Amino acid sequence: GTFTDIVARDPEGRLRTHKLLSENPEAYRDAAVQGVRELLGLAPGAPIPEGAVQCVKMGTTVATNALLERKGDRTLLLTTRGFRDALRIAYQARPRLFDRHILLPELLYERVVEVRERVAADGA
């Protein structure tokens, strides 16, 4: 499964880490909030006291994993007109740059729609 990893700095400046399942509806509604509760030593569902947490920065892999595992909804890429193939072309950073038969990874999106947008400094 997917996990939520939490790193916290306690009032003495020490780093503490904690890991929970990202989805565990029988135990908690939100893994990040529950992880903060557990690091603070609070009971499940208990309110987090105001001022107990100075800052929260968060990132998850739930959406990334769903894309990589092809378990999410079908995906459409919107990109600037003329850049339809930018992700397919990529950076050409291959171990054997001059191979004639290149095996490319499967794209994460199903379709591409090019969008006309402003690209010049004057808004044109």
Side-chain angles (χ1 to χ4, degrees):
T2 300
F3 292 92
T4 296
D5 297 295
I6 299 168
V7 178
R9 187 175 304 276
D10 66 21
E12 289 77 42
R14 296 176 301 226
L15 288 179
R16 298 177 56 205
T17 61
H18 193 53
K19 180 184 287 270
L20 300 108
L21 282 171
S22 292
E23 295 188 23
N24 189 355
E26 296 81 25
Y28 43 81
R29 286 184 45 207
D30 184 285
V33 173
Q34 183 60 30
V36 170
R37 279 188 187 107
E38 291 179 14
L39 281 170
L40 292 172
L42 301 173
I48 297 172
E50 188 175 329
V53 177
Q54 182 179 9
C55 176
V56 173
K57 297 180 182 181
M58 186 172 149
T60 70
T61 60
V62 173
T64 303
N65 289 348
L67 276 172
L68 294 175
E69 296 169 6
R70 304 296 195 269
K71 291 183 179 176
D73 290 333
R74 294 165 45 198
T75 307
L76 167 73
L77 172 67
L78 297 172
T79 189
T80 304
R81 183 179 294 164
F83 288 85
R84 168 182 293 275
D85 298 317
L87 293 181
R88 171 53 75 200
I89 294 168
Y91 295 105
Q92 301 300 318
R94 299 187 305 267
R96 298 172 51 118
L97 187 59
F98 299 105
D99 278 0
R100 294 180 66 202
H101 301 286
I102 303 164
L103 297 175
L104 297 173
E106 184 180 347
L107 293 172
L108 297 177
Y109 49 87
E110 184 178 312
R111 290 182 41 227
V112 178
V113 172
E114 293 179 273
V115 179
R116 181 171 182 228
E117 60 180 330
R118 298 175 292 181
V119 293
D122 66 358

